[in-house]
Amino acid sequence: MKFVYILIAFAVFSPVANAVDYRWTLGFAQGTTEAIIRNATGASLDIYCPSGQTDHTPGIFLETDKVRPRLHEQIDVQIIVDGNNYPFYFEEIQFKAAGRINMVSLHALINALVKSNRKTFTVEFPKFGNSETFSVLDARKALGSAAAFLSGCE
C-alpha cells in the first residue's frame, strides 16, 4: 500500500512537461551559415549561406513528410508571410538562389520574415494541395537582415 501512495505522490508532484518553443536558430559549420526553423510536424526550413564554400550560392532546404518529390522533380512552393506570396521553384527539397531574380526573391523572403508582425508563416505546395506552418519567433535574431545574412554569398 505504501508503494501506491508513493506513486500517487510522484504523479502529483512531478513537473509538467512544457510545450516546445519552435523558434529560429542560427548555426555555422564547415563554412555555411544556416538559419533553421522546425515545426510540430517535424518539417524544417533551412535558409543557408555557404560563404566559406567553393560554391557561394545561397538557398533554402525544405524537408516535410507532406511532399515526397521524385529525383530531380521541380516543386512549386509558395511561402506566405504577412499575406504576401513569395514563390520559389525547388528541385526536390532545395532551392538555389542562382541568378539575379532568385537572389532578389531570397532577399525579399528574408526581409519579410525579419519584419513580420505575425506569429507564423505558411509554406504551401499548390500541386499537392497541402501546406506547413512555421513560427516567426526569433527570425529577426537568427537572420538579422538579408544583406547581413547573405554577406559573402552574393
Side-chain angles (χ1 to χ4, degrees):
M1 194 67 176
K2 274 186 167 181
F3 182 70
V4 172
Y5 290 126
I6 292 172
L7 283 177
I8 291 171
F10 273 114
V12 170
F13 296 109
S14 294
V16 176
N18 293 327
V20 175
D21 274 344
Y22 295 101
R23 59 181 69 224
W24 284 86
T25 59
L26 181 65
F28 182 81
Q30 299 178 347
T32 301
T33 303
E34 297 178 309
I36 303 169
I37 184 69
R38 290 178 174 77
N39 68 11
T41 66
S44 66
L45 183 83
D46 176 347
I47 300 175
Y48 65 90
C49 173
S51 59
Q53 300 290 325
T54 306
D55 180 1
H56 297 306
T57 307
I60 305 170
F61 281 108
L62 177 60
E63 295 186 39
T64 176
D65 288 336
K66 294 183 178 180
V67 176
R68 299 278 189 195
R70 294 182 306 271
L71 186 64
H72 302 296
E73 181 179 6
Q74 187 170 343
I75 305 292
D76 296 336
V77 174
Q78 296 180 33
I79 301 176
I80 295 135
V81 182
D82 290 344
N84 296 310
N85 185 10
Y86 300 89
F88 294 92
Y89 297 105
F90 280 65
E91 182 172 322
E92 296 176 37
I93 64 168
Q94 183 180 23
F95 164 78
K96 289 189 85 170
R100 183 178 301 209
I101 291 175
N102 290 329
M103 255 328 231
V104 167
S105 296
L106 186 57
H107 267 261
L109 174 64
I110 291 171
N111 286 331
L113 289 167
V114 166
K115 295 174 185 173
S116 178
N117 294 322
R118 299 199 180 151
K119 292 182 179 185
T120 61
F121 69 98
T122 304
V123 178
E124 293 182 345
F125 310 98
K127 178 180 176 180
F128 301 95
N130 57 36
S131 63
E132 291 280 3
T133 301
F134 295 93
S135 173
V136 181
L137 191 60
D138 283 349
R140 182 174 294 126
K141 185 177 175 182
L143 294 163
S145 70
F149 186 80
L150 297 174
S151 177
C153 284
E154 301 181 83

